[in-house]
Amino acid sequence: SAANWPEDLEIGAYDEVNRAKAKAKAKAKAKAKAKAKAKADQRLRILPDPSTSLSTTPSAMVRNAHADLVEEAARFRARLAEVDPVTNEPRYGPNMKAKVEDWIARYEQLGDALDTHAAAADARRAEAAVLDAEASAAAAAAAEAQCAEAEAAHRARLAQTEEELARSRFGAQKFRDEDTPEPGADDAETRAALSAEAAAAKEERLAAEAAAAAEAEKRRTEREAARRAWQANAGSGVDAFKSHLADFAAAARADGGIAAPLRALHVVISNASRRPEAEAYKVLRCRNANFHRDLGQHDAARCCLAAVGYRLMVRREDPVEGVEEEPDEAELEAFQMAEPNPEADLDKWAAWYDALSGALSALEELMAAEGVKPAPEAA
């Protein structure tokens, strides 16, 4: 009515203000949602495509990208399960949900591809170690033959030198006595003196060689005693293996990574267990670079090998006299599997094989707990 029109006007103005506020609020909410969607799309685009990245991108870059996105993947998984507290609807719409699920699938696929590549690389390194061990065995045999030839040649030269020296001394004495009219007792005495001098020189040389050989044998015996003491202290059997395995895992983890060392130990023990008759898997050269990197540098890993039947030994004796370059004995050390003869003592062989199988099971349990996949078996 005309009497109430100021009041009606005031109510209409109030409604108009509320509608403007609601419109502004909806616009701001839509803008924030669009901004969040753009930011999420940008994050989704930074993950490389696993079907092409491993062949077109350096592997280190792919691994770093995968590692950097761990927290991002966790956030996306959490957001997928969230709902809006007001509308009780999922936080992501159907399109965004599909994009996020696709991103997570590609992220997990990339992780599996990286694990496969790492396992294949470990297998190649293990195969290279076996090939290197075979080549080392052939080289050691050739070196032993070469040392034997060098020793024979050296002894021949010594005998020739002694003979020439005796002739030279006798000739010099004879030249000094040429003005003697007739050879007499002095000639005989001179020859006797020269013969006695040559015999004394030979005896002195033989005594020196015997002393050097005795000292070398003493050093060899002491080193062998030290190796035997270490072997006895390492123990044997599944319980000893488990104890050393725990120490090895802790040392490898502190050294920067547990996966490659555990895979290397698994390759050695599984090969010995599956193919005990194969000679190529019975000798592990300590000087092999791959063996030293993954196992040899850790005393606990060496103790693991001792516990399953490997014996620390020297594959060749000390270098013989006459060889100019004498290698350090530590470079000649190797672990050799001491497999019992089943024909001579079947019970002893069965106990050895059971201990080897039990150690392999304990190692595989630890690898499963650590999330380490075994290396693929060599063809």
Side-chain angles (χ1 to χ4, degrees):
S1 65
N4 295 329
W5 71 268
E7 183 179 352
D8 293 340
L9 182 60
E10 183 178 355
I11 293 173
Y14 180 80
D15 291 341
E16 185 66 25
V17 169
N18 285 342
R19 284 194 296 272
K21 287 183 178 180
K23 185 176 180 180
K25 185 176 181 180
K27 185 176 180 181
K29 185 175 181 180
K31 184 176 180 181
K33 187 175 182 180
K35 185 176 180 181
K37 181 177 181 299
K39 186 176 180 181
D41 286 339
Q42 182 180 7
R43 291 200 301 269
L44 289 174
R45 285 194 294 271
I46 66 176
L47 182 68
D49 185 356
S51 63
T52 60
S53 60
L54 293 180
S55 60
T56 60
T57 309
S59 59
M61 294 178 61
V62 177
R63 287 195 298 270
N64 291 338
H66 184 268
D68 291 340
L69 294 174
V70 172
E71 295 182 1
E72 197 73 22
R75 283 198 296 270
F76 276 133
R77 289 191 182 96
R79 296 282 287 181
L80 279 176
E82 292 180 359
V83 296
D84 191 288
V86 177
T87 64
N88 204 30
E89 294 293 331
R91 186 69 78 170
Y92 290 134
N95 293 336
M96 191 62 186
K97 181 181 179 182
K99 289 183 180 180
V100 171
E101 290 175 343
D102 177 67
W103 186 93
I104 292 175
R106 286 190 290 125
Y107 174 83
E108 294 174 347
Q109 184 182 357
L110 179 59
D112 292 339
L114 288 173
D115 288 343
T116 300
H117 274 246
D122 290 337
R124 288 194 295 273
R125 284 197 298 268
E127 185 176 359
V130 171
L131 294 176
D132 186 69
E134 295 174 352
S136 297
E144 289 179 0
Q146 184 179 3
C147 287
E149 292 178 2
E151 180 184 17
H154 177 70
R155 293 189 180 277
R157 286 195 301 271
L158 283 177
Q160 183 180 0
T161 300
E162 288 176 357
E163 184 179 355
E164 291 176 353
L165 180 60
R167 289 177 180 176
S168 175
R169 288 174 175 172
F170 180 74
Q173 183 64 33
K174 185 177 180 180
F175 178 77
R176 287 193 297 269
D177 296 340
E178 278 183 351
D179 56 346
T180 304
E182 293 181 358
D186 289 343
D187 249 356
E189 290 177 0
T190 299
R191 286 194 297 270
L194 289 174
S195 178
E197 185 177 352
K202 182 177 182 180
E203 184 177 352
E204 182 179 355
R205 176 181 62 79
L206 292 176
E209 288 181 355
E215 181 63 25
E217 178 63 20
K218 179 182 178 182
R219 292 197 304 270
R220 189 197 68 78
T221 303
E222 290 175 350
R223 288 192 292 265
E224 180 63 24
R227 281 190 291 270
R228 289 181 181 275
W230 176 87
Q231 190 87 37
N233 187 60
S236 61
V238 178
D239 292 339
F241 177 83
K242 289 181 178 179
S243 176
H244 297 315
L245 180 61
D247 295 339
F248 173 45
R253 190 180 291 107
D255 200 34
I258 195 175
L262 288 183
R263 286 194 187 102
L265 184 59
H266 184 267
V267 167
V268 170
I269 297 180
S270 61
N271 282 340
S273 175
R274 291 197 311 270
R275 289 174 254 182
E277 75 286 351
E279 293 295 329
Y281 302 128
K282 291 185 178 182
V283 178
L284 306 172
R285 294 276 179 180
C286 295
R287 65 183 174 185
N288 180 278
N290 293 331
F291 174 83
H292 177 75
R293 181 195 62 225
D294 293 333
L295 300 176
Q297 65 171 323
H298 301 291
D299 185 68
R302 295 159 69 97
C303 289
C304 285
L305 297 176
V308 298
Y310 280 94
R311 295 294 175 263
L312 183 61
M313 58 178 294
V314 174
R315 292 286 292 176
R316 182 164 60 83
E317 297 297 331
D318 290 338
V320 298
E321 182 182 352
V323 178
E324 295 182 358
E325 294 184 1
E326 181 177 347
D328 183 71
E329 186 175 278
E331 296 182 358
L332 305 177
E333 286 186 340
F335 282 92
Q336 181 162 344
M337 175 59 77
E339 177 186 358
N341 186 351
E343 297 180 357
D345 192 338
L346 183 59
D347 292 339
K348 186 176 181 180
W349 185 90
W352 164 81
Y353 188 77
D354 289 343
L356 188 64
S357 301
L360 181 60
S361 298
L363 175 58
E364 290 177 344
E365 289 178 5
L366 175 62
M367 293 175 68
E370 295 288 343
V372 178
K373 296 180 180 179
E377 294 186 15

